[in-house]
Amino acid sequence: MSELASTTLSVLDLAPIRQGGSAAETFQDSVSLAQLTEQLGYHRYWLAEHHNIEGIASAATAVLIGHIAGQTSRIRVGSGGIMLPNHPPLVVAEQFGTLETLYPGRIDLGLGRAPGSDGATMQAMRRHAHAGVDDFPAQLNELRGYLADASPHQRVKAVPGQGTHVPIWLLGSSGFSAQLAAKLGLPFAFAAQFAPGYLFEALRLYRDNFQPSAHLDAPYATVGLPVIAAESDAMAEYLATTAQQKFLNLIRGKPTVSLPPVEQLDWTPMERAQVEQFLGAAIIGGPDTVKAQLKDFQARTGANELMINSDFYDHQDRLRSYQIVAEAAR
């Protein structure tokens, strides 16, 4: 058995919309991917909350989680993550309590602090400009109370939600969530799929400060990881231009729909450096390259779980990439 086989593999789906495609097609693709990765032995399937971003269809994250869970049978389904300051904690507890009631033992609630959008969209969501800066721990505590067993004098209860004990994860790309997860004894997921720069420091802070809890005896760290796997290194490099174009358009303030791969990118040296910073942890290659780099990444991070995010223009290429990763783990 390879060293990689001891690491759990999971899926992060950003519900990408293709150029010329539709949200309806994206949802069909997500179901297809969830069903395949369930068959391949992936452990969980997470979707992320974003708003007002052309190219990402997972704004109504809880609704889409329910849809995916209803089309699968074993794989855990959850959020990677719900941006808690965008919502009243009671509403989040009711949504995920409902999901847990419908699909018992299969729902995860990953939480983040970022808005998942721009300033104008934050105003449209009625989110305060400083939400999540100082009040996130209090919001988290309130939410945890709605999912725990009800206390004797509790006036407001999440129905359903109360007593469901939906597993909570903290997500982040800095030290804040890492240290809070450590303090509360919760699992932690780092967003290296787009912000790998602080990865090792965040993992160190989480592990060094971890306090055992009723949820975890020891630290449990998941790392989001961009992977573009194909039949050869050259083909993978070509297909990876879809993800590179998405970050390039993000930098340029253009729509971020998934674009067909190209032979050569038209970017300045500064733009290239910025894109490479976003994708600094990316693994791109054929089966042998992917297997070797996955083992190396797991060895360097000590991650308990790798959450694979793969951005392709063609859905069949995306499915094949997850197959190659699963085969590498064997």
Side-chain angles (χ1 to χ4, degrees):
M1 181 177 292
S2 70
E3 296 174 11
L4 182 61
S6 63
T7 301
T8 300
L9 294 178
S10 292
V11 180
L12 175 62
D13 179 12
L14 298 184
I17 301 175
R18 284 187 295 274
Q19 183 184 56
S22 66
E25 291 174 352
T26 292
F27 298 150
Q28 293 171 2
D29 289 346
S30 290
V31 169
S32 169
L33 179 60
Q35 291 173 339
L36 174 69
T37 51
E38 180 175 70
Q39 294 171 11
L40 292 171
Y42 285 78
H43 184 54
R44 64 184 96 238
Y45 192 102
W46 280 5
L47 297 131
E49 176 185 352
H50 293 87
H51 301 281
N52 192 33
I53 298 179
E54 291 187 67
I56 298 181
S58 53
T61 318
V63 177
L64 193 51
I65 288 170
H67 181 60
I68 297 296
Q71 299 292 319
T72 52
S73 59
R74 299 182 308 277
I75 196 167
R76 297 190 65 88
V77 189
S79 59
I82 291 293
M83 301 298 109
L84 182 56
N86 290 349
H87 315 277
L90 176 62
V91 173
V92 176
E94 291 168 341
Q95 290 174 343
F96 280 78
T98 299
L99 288 168
E100 176 63 26
T101 302
L102 289 168
Y103 309 104
R106 294 183 57 207
I107 301 300
D108 297 323
L109 175 52
L111 299 169
R113 297 187 301 146
S117 60
D118 55 30
T121 309
M122 286 174 61
Q123 292 182 356
M125 292 190 297
R126 305 298 189 266
R127 171 172 168 150
H128 189 273
H130 299 291
V133 177
D134 298 318
D135 58 354
F136 184 79
Q139 288 183 306
L140 175 60
N141 185 60
E142 181 181 351
L143 172 59
R144 296 177 74 192
Y146 290 134
L147 294 172
D149 294 332
S151 62
H153 305 292
Q154 186 173 334
R155 295 183 61 188
V156 179
K157 299 178 182 179
V159 184
Q162 212 72 53
T164 55
H165 302 280
V166 178
I168 289 178
W169 294 64
L170 294 191
L171 281 57
S173 58
S174 69
F176 179 93
S177 293
Q179 293 182 84
L180 183 59
K183 178 182 178 181
L184 299 176
L186 295 174
F188 173 62
F190 187 87
Q193 73 274 7
F194 71 87
Y198 204 74
L199 169 61
F200 292 97
E201 178 63 12
L203 292 178
R204 185 194 66 78
L205 287 170
Y206 174 59
R207 290 166 178 150
D208 288 353
N209 294 285
F210 184 84
Q211 299 179 25
S213 68
H215 308 283
L216 282 178
D217 294 327
Y220 191 96
T222 292
V223 177
L225 180 65
V227 179
I228 304 296
E231 302 304 327
S232 68
D233 288 358
M235 178 57 69
E237 293 286 351
Y238 170 68
L239 295 175
T241 59
T242 291
Q244 291 165 344
Q245 288 178 89
K246 182 168 291 186
F247 281 110
L248 181 59
N249 283 335
L250 178 66
I251 293 166
R252 293 173 173 176
K254 295 182 177 180
T256 54
V257 293
S258 294
L259 299 172
V262 294
E263 294 292 343
Q264 186 172 352
L265 284 163
D266 180 19
W267 51 10
T268 68
M270 180 175 291
E271 288 174 333
R272 178 171 183 168
Q274 289 177 292
V275 170
E276 290 177 347
Q277 186 173 26
F278 279 119
L279 293 171
I283 292 175
I284 302 169
D288 292 342
T289 298
V290 167
K291 182 171 185 175
Q293 292 190 16
L294 280 172
K295 289 178 66 175
D296 177 69
F297 186 84
Q298 194 280 331
R300 288 187 295 114
T301 61
N304 301 93
E305 190 168 336
L306 297 179
M307 183 155 280
I308 308 300
N309 172 238
S310 297
D311 190 6
F312 289 83
Y313 177 74
D314 186 279
H315 184 57
Q316 293 304 312
D317 291 330
R318 191 179 181 209
L319 296 178
R320 179 58 184 144
S321 181
Y322 279 98
Q323 288 178 319
I324 291 171
V325 171
E327 290 163 4
R330 298 194 190 104

